[in-house]
Amino acid sequence: MTTPAAVITDAAAYAQAVEDAVTASAAYYTGGTSALDDDAYDRLVRGIAAWETEHPDQVLPNSPTGKVAGGAVEGDVPHTVAMLSLDNVFSPEEFTTWSASLARRIGHEVERFSVEPKLDGLAVAARYAGGRLRQLITRGDGTAGEHVSHAIGTIEGLPHELAEPVTVEVRGEVLMTTAQFEHANEVRTAHGGQPFANPRGAAAGSLRAKERAYTVPMTFFGYGLLPLPNTEKALAPRLGELAHSDLMVQAAAYGVNTTATTAVPGITADTVEQVLARVQEIAALRAELPFGIDGIVIKADLAADQQSAGSGSRAPRWAIAYKLPAVEKITRLLEVEWNVGRTGIIAPRAVLEPVEIDGATITYATLHNPADITRRDLRLGDHVMVHRAGDVIPRIEAPVAHLRTGDEQPIAFPEACPRCGAGINTGEQRWRCENGRNCHLVAALSYAAGRDQLDIEGLGHTRVVQLVDAGLVADLADLFTLTREQLMGLERMGVTSTDNLLAAIAAAKGQPLSRVLCALGVRGTGRSMSRRIARRFASMDNIRAANAESMQQVEGIGTEKAPSIVAELAELAPLIDKLAAAGVNMTEPGATPPASSDGDTGEADENTEGVGGPLAGMTVVVTGAMTGPLEKLSRNQMNELIERAGGRSSSSVSKKTSLVVAGDGAGSKRAKAEDLAIRLATPDEFAALVADYLN
Ligand code: IVH
């Protein structure tokens, strides 16, 4: 899992490496953007350490090895107890070895571990006197830190006043959530500043910034709580004997934010196996978290175990960081492509110099929309920080502005649709071809024919291209009036494939309204939203009669989406009429039409959760592979089934989940359901529960 160390061959290369590491580290702690991503920095420091082992007499005093934070700004506020760093492990084997050595050191197995995310921000100590927040100090070199009390009031989760008038120090991490980071860069660039490359740099820079014309919110997560010396007995709580997990409960009771509020709360574990299982769970949830983590911190939970293990000068012996692979790398932006989607949206996509992130080679990243490019001040040739976690589409966080050479070129925005040459509607953030969904008809039709929409077998991409090129279809409705002769005239269309395709098209006319609506590809209405709209309004006529206000009665449709859906349906009116005339079904089986004529019953969500049924009022999550009677169902069909049976389908497990259907190979969702004591069902049990609704 670890990448190889940098190879250093002589004293001059060693001196250069130390200098590069110190510069990068200084940028890391002050919010400047480093020329090295975390991986490159780690490789460099490991190379430095390797050379130092061979040449112990030539170690430079400013070397980052053996320090709590080589390169960090030294502060002048002494820490009462040193703020240490953590040693790292990178694999289950390394963790197992570490825990065995800890057990040897303390003379028995570790009684209990605590396992929590390693938050990717900066360490601060917050001193409270009599319950009031008095001082905020960075970690600095571990012995003394910088005073950053000016940032008090901009950090969520660190209250001005605790729930009790205690005199304590809370330690933890200050970071920016993804939303806070986006906001910070918007505000910063609006004030003429360069965008920060990533949330960590943004938090570091914002925490230390004293004289900014603006403030940007950050978030604090506590991971330590200690008494302050020289405190009157009455104000000093007895914390010394508490286990780490109890300290975290106490911190939360004081009103301090901890990981308990997140999808990855700190837990305790009795065995190495349990720790490793939790490491996997946290790793699996990483991509979905609204803040960055770079690993998992495992601690001996009991104060007695911690005390007998003790600490070295750099790191405690009772805690370890299990590092996860880096999700950010610096690479170069080579080009921007403009692609037209099936609804006519013209979306920019970054072409990158290939870079490997967590085992995958990344060559493209999303750029959202033109305004986003302008806001980030991106230029061709820029070094950019690329973020990729899990299966989420990689994104560019920001350019590394100080690596610019002056040769970077502005990104040209298209003046006409790059696909059909028509004009571009630039009225909204996302630009759209004036030909709308007719611009990329092949994409629109392929989507409509897809398995989760009209499910027309035999109408794949190639066939659609043939039909469009032959001029046989100019919109979705034309599919339904295709004749046998027309199809037979196409290349590679024999009697059997023609008859099969005609039968599949005829069958598609009977699909429920939810799928017809989805096939239209109205922006903002994917599969589940189309089902909710169809269930609420029951017929296409009712949907078309709905105004923005009644559209908002559908769960998940807010003030922004509602008018755009209504407008787009109006735009689609001729096509919908043509589909209805061709005999396409326009009603939703099982849904009750609303009472009033404008499609609004006045009661929120009456129809969105079905009418009774065995799953009435339940939120159901499906995970793993389905077997038995459910084996052939796609995830979308499972969701349709859940909703037919009166339930609500969801893709993530939370306290609100009522039931998790866990099939073969179910992983983190099953584990989370077990943690939250949510009812679990096998595919067979679930099939029995909804037997009446299986068709
Ligand atoms: S415990 C003495 N717990 O990681 C124990 N640290 O690489 C040291 N960090 O300096 C801290 N999340 O800034 C601890 N849950 C967590 C953490 C955490 C992030 C940071 C902290 C520390 C650094 C070490």
Side-chain angles (χ1 to χ4, degrees):
M1 184 96 89
T2 32
T3 38
V7 179
I8 296 174
T9 46
D10 57 39
Y14 167 70
Q16 183 63 51
V18 169
E19 194 186 315
D20 290 349
V22 169
T23 312
S25 183
Y28 185 82
Y29 288 105
T30 58
T33 33
S34 166
L36 301 177
D37 50 49
D38 287 2
D39 246 13
Y41 179 79
D42 281 353
R43 272 203 306 280
L44 190 64
V45 174
R46 273 186 278 121
I48 291 172
W51 197 85
E52 289 174 351
T53 318
E54 299 287 311
H55 307 87
D57 51 329
Q58 294 181 43
V59 174
L60 289 169
N62 59 338
S63 164
T65 59
K67 292 215 175 72
V68 163
V73 182
E74 281 169 35
D76 50 8
V77 189
H79 289 299
T80 50
V81 177
M83 275 187 97
L84 297 180
S85 185
L86 290 168
D87 288 332
N88 298 326
V89 292
F90 295 89
S91 66
E93 296 72 36
E94 286 181 23
F95 174 73
T96 309
T97 308
W98 173 81
S99 86
S101 74
L102 176 56
R104 270 198 305 282
R105 180 178 288 277
I106 64 177
H108 56 83
E109 288 300 318
V110 175
E111 173 94 22
R112 194 169 70 208
F113 295 99
S114 83
V115 192
E116 57 196 20
K118 184 171 185 313
L119 305 145
D120 194 10
L122 335 78
V124 297
R127 291 185 184 160
Y128 284 90
R132 285 179 169 276
L133 182 51
R134 298 285 185 211
Q135 241 185 350
L136 201 57
I137 311 145
T138 63
R139 185 173 68 171
D141 66 355
T143 351
E146 265 189 296
H147 205 4
V148 286
S149 303
H150 54 267
I152 292 176
T154 63
I155 307 174
E156 286 168 22
L158 205 51
H160 273 292
E161 192 151 0
L162 297 179
E164 288 176 45
V166 283
T167 296
V168 289
E169 182 167 299
V170 182
R171 289 182 175 182
E173 206 81 350
V174 170
L175 51 72
M176 275 192 195
T177 62
T178 315
Q180 286 173 334
F181 168 63
E182 296 287 327
H183 171 75
N185 269 351
E186 260 172 52
V187 175
R188 186 169 162 86
T189 45
H191 280 83
Q194 291 285 355
F196 286 114
N198 62 2
R200 196 195 169 284
S206 304
L207 189 66
R208 298 181 70 248
K210 279 207 178 99
E211 309 210 338
R212 267 199 201 153
Y214 55 92
T215 57
V216 285
M218 293 172 271
T219 300
F220 178 84
F221 287 102
Y223 54 65
L225 179 62
L226 44 150
L228 279 169
N230 311 323
T231 303
E232 270 177 62
K233 260 215 167 115
L235 299 175
R238 291 163 57 100
L239 301 170
E241 273 95 66
L242 290 188
H244 176 71
S245 52
D246 292 330
L247 287 173
M248 291 301 92
V249 172
Q250 182 60 261
Y254 287 154
V256 171
N257 190 37
T258 69
T259 59
T261 59
T262 71
V264 284
I267 59 149
T268 58
D270 294 329
T271 63
V272 167
E273 290 68 38
Q274 284 173 10
V275 170
L276 293 174
R278 182 63 180 166
V279 165
Q280 288 315 316
E281 278 168 28
I282 296 179
L285 290 167
R286 182 189 197 185
E288 293 163 32
L289 295 176
F291 49 83
I293 66 170
D294 57 347
I296 291 102
V297 181
I298 301 120
K299 302 171 183 171
D301 194 43
L302 300 193
D305 284 356
Q306 294 183 2
Q307 275 149 20
S308 61
S311 292
S313 63
R314 200 190 88 88
R317 296 194 191 89
W318 46 266
I320 195 85
Y322 189 120
K323 292 281 277 208
L324 292 175
V327 288
E328 279 177 357
K329 286 275 178 72
I330 296 173
T331 187
R332 289 186 60 213
L333 172 62
L334 302 178
E335 230 181 287
V336 173
E337 291 177 354
W338 298 84
N339 297 317
V340 185
R342 62 183 157 79
T343 61
I345 295 284
I346 302 169
R349 179 166 84 151
V351 183
L352 305 170
E353 200 167 275
V355 60
E356 197 188 303
I357 308 184
D358 191 8
T361 303
I362 307 302
T363 34
Y364 298 105
T366 169
L367 280 172
H368 307 292
N369 55 56
D372 194 57
I373 294 176
T374 310
R375 195 161 51 232
R376 284 166 211 255
D377 186 27
L378 284 171
R379 302 176 201 171
L380 296 181
D382 259 337
H383 285 85
V384 289
M385 185 67 91
V386 179
H387 180 105
R388 174 214 175 237
D391 296 333
V392 178
I393 302 170
R395 63 170 192 266
I396 288 184
E397 299 215 290
V400 184
H402 77 273
L403 290 181
R404 280 191 176 146
T405 60
D407 290 339
E408 294 75 17
Q409 296 299 317
I411 294 170
F413 292 176
E415 279 164 17
C417 171
R419 198 179 164 83
C420 71
I424 300 178
N425 182 344
T426 58
E428 286 180 43
Q429 282 236 331
R430 302 173 74 193
W431 289 9
R432 193 170 180 222
C433 170
E434 281 177 350
N435 273 332
R437 45 180 52 74
N438 289 334
C439 172
H440 199 350
L441 189 58
V442 169
L445 293 179
S446 302
Y447 174 78
R451 188 174 178 205
D452 293 337
Q453 287 69 245
L454 297 176
D455 194 17
I456 307 178
E457 221 184 301
L459 195 55
H461 181 81
T462 329
R463 197 68 83 207
V464 172
V465 172
Q466 254 185 321
L467 291 171
V468 172
D469 285 354
L472 296 179
V473 282
D475 62 32
L476 178 60
D478 287 343
L479 280 180
F480 297 96
T481 49
L482 281 170
T483 64
R484 201 154 188 274
E485 291 64 44
Q486 285 174 326
L487 289 177
M488 289 291 289
L490 294 173
E491 260 181 56
R492 296 183 307 280
M493 277 301 268
V495 179
T496 320
S497 30
T498 299
D499 288 343
N500 288 347
L501 183 54
L502 284 172
I505 291 173
K509 290 186 188 170
Q511 289 285 7
L513 172 64
S514 53
R515 282 173 169 249
V516 176
L517 183 61
C518 190
L520 288 172
V522 177
R523 283 172 294 158
T525 65
R527 289 166 302 194
S528 66
M529 184 61 81
S530 298
R531 285 198 296 272
R532 270 182 253 157
I533 297 174
R535 289 200 77 79
R536 167 147 199 98
F537 294 103
S539 74
M540 185 62 100
D541 285 346
N542 288 333
I543 296 179
R544 292 167 77 178
N547 56 20
E549 202 185 321
S550 39
M551 196 54 82
Q552 275 177 60
Q553 301 287 324
V554 178
E555 191 195 336
I557 300 187
T559 47
E560 241 174 75
K561 238 185 198 183
S564 87
I565 294 177
V566 171
E568 209 163 320
L569 281 163
E571 181 187 304
L572 286 164
L575 178 62
I576 297 172
D577 288 339
K578 204 168 154 189
L579 285 166
V584 174
N585 168 55
M586 293 286 165
T587 58
E588 185 69 0
T592 336
S596 59
S597 59
D598 69 349
D600 181 5
T601 60
E603 283 165 53
D605 284 344
E606 186 184 282
N607 289 333
T608 57
E609 299 197 344
V611 275
L615 303 180
M618 292 171 71
T619 300
V620 183
V621 174
V622 179
T623 179
M626 292 300 103
T627 45
L630 306 178
E631 188 176 347
K632 295 239 148 50
L633 299 193
S634 66
R635 207 50 109 222
N636 186 55
Q637 287 171 315
M638 280 296 289
N639 292 340
E640 287 176 333
L641 172 62
I642 291 164
E643 289 166 26
R644 271 202 308 279
R648 192 178 178 293
S649 61
S650 165
S651 57
S652 60
V653 179
S654 75
K655 279 184 212 139
K656 290 188 197 133
T657 311
S658 334
L659 175 69
V660 173
V661 186
D664 289 350
S668 63
K669 289 183 192 176
R670 185 201 181 98
K672 191 160 177 200
E674 279 168 358
D675 269 0
L676 297 173
I678 289 163
R679 183 175 153 200
L680 281 159
T682 63
D684 281 342
E685 287 162 354
F686 184 71
L689 187 65
V690 296
D692 290 349
Y693 295 80
L694 268 168
N695 48 21

